[in-house]
Amino acid sequence: MYLIPALMFLSLLLIYIIKNRLAIFWPSTGRMVDAIEELADLKGRETVYDLGSGDGRVLVRLAKNAKKATGIEHNPILNAIARKRIGGLKNVSVTQGDIFEKDLKDADVIVAYLSRFLTHKLEKKIIKECRNGTKIILVGYRFNGMKPLKERRVFLMRIRLYKV
Ligand SMILES: C[S@@+](CC[C@H](N)C(=O)[O-])C[C@H]1O[C@@H](n2cnc3c(N)ncnc32)[C@H](O)[C@@H]1O
């Protein structure tokens, strides 16, 4: 009698733990991409990174108004999908690999939709590597030691803009 509710509870708990720790592919919706684009406020001369670029939907949107847009994604299938989406666009690329191995010192704008654990790890890397004025847009999770300058809410999701 209690088996189904117990299984449902355990499944939800598992999803919660995996999402917090691992950053599985959970793509941004169209309205989230709109909010990210608004917060990025690109002028056509910026170098942009999407850390964990998934199927490239955020990357391709931001590339329209950026000098250069690079996605870093460790899943080869998602990278293949992103490359199809990128098509012939010259200023966009995706690199297969771990976001923590990429040097971010030339970044003007960084977008990251990861997990709580990876967002905290990223905060330390950004403080160490990024120059003053770099904009960071975080989807879902927040930095511990920095205050967001702006925040947008899309349904239950919060998207925050930080500046180094
Ligand atoms: C929540 S999805 C976001 C996808 C995309 N940025 C979007 O907004 O639609 C997180 C992505 O980060 C990728 N990812 C997680 N950890 C990573 C790591 N250490 N290095 C590279 N990619 C990673 C996952 O494979 C997944 O595609």
Side-chain angles (χ1 to χ4, degrees):
M1 189 171 157
Y2 295 113
L3 186 68
I4 290 175
L7 281 176
M8 280 170 70
F9 174 76
L10 282 176
S11 313
L12 287 174
L13 187 68
L14 197 66
I15 291 175
Y16 178 80
I17 292 169
I18 291 173
K19 254 196 118 221
N20 270 296
R21 185 86 194 169
L22 291 182
I24 49 174
F25 179 56
W26 202 284
S28 295
T29 63
R31 283 183 56 210
M32 286 161 65
V33 182
D34 292 343
I36 293 168
E37 189 178 29
E38 188 224 318
L39 291 175
D41 189 26
L42 297 170
K43 307 286 185 227
R45 32 174 203 269
E46 296 88 349
T47 296
V48 176
Y49 287 97
D50 184 7
L51 303 180
S53 43
D55 63 4
R57 61 183 66 196
V58 175
L59 192 65
V60 167
R61 176 78 79 85
L62 294 185
K64 283 188 204 152
N65 293 310
K67 188 170 101 187
K68 190 176 158 206
T70 307
I72 322 281
E73 169 60 56
H74 62 186
N75 180 324
I77 297 166
L78 291 171
N79 273 329
I81 297 169
R83 287 200 182 100
K84 265 206 148 170
R85 192 188 288 272
I86 290 168
L89 292 174
K90 293 273 178 284
N91 63 335
V92 200
S93 62
V94 279
T95 302
Q96 193 169 322
D98 185 345
I99 58 171
F100 292 98
E101 281 168 17
K102 173 74 195 160
D103 192 328
L104 300 171
K105 65 171 174 289
D106 67 336
D108 297 302
V109 176
I110 294 170
V111 181
Y113 178 15
L114 298 166
S115 63
R116 192 182 308 280
F117 173 75
L118 293 179
T119 302
H120 292 162
K121 194 171 164 192
L122 181 67
E123 183 174 12
K124 292 180 195 133
K125 179 174 166 67
I126 279 173
I127 289 168
K128 217 163 85 185
E129 273 172 27
C130 293
R131 53 174 191 246
N132 282 348
T134 306
K135 286 182 186 171
I136 321 288
I137 298 163
L138 292 186
V139 181
Y141 302 95
R142 55 168 81 221
F143 283 154
N144 277 337
M146 292 165 78
K147 276 213 157 70
L149 299 179
K150 287 185 186 172
E151 189 172 306
R152 296 288 175 268
R153 199 175 165 156
V154 178
F155 188 46
L156 295 175
M157 188 61 83
R158 286 178 197 268
I159 303 170
R160 300 180 175 92
L161 170 72
Y162 296 83
K163 229 180 211 186
V164 177

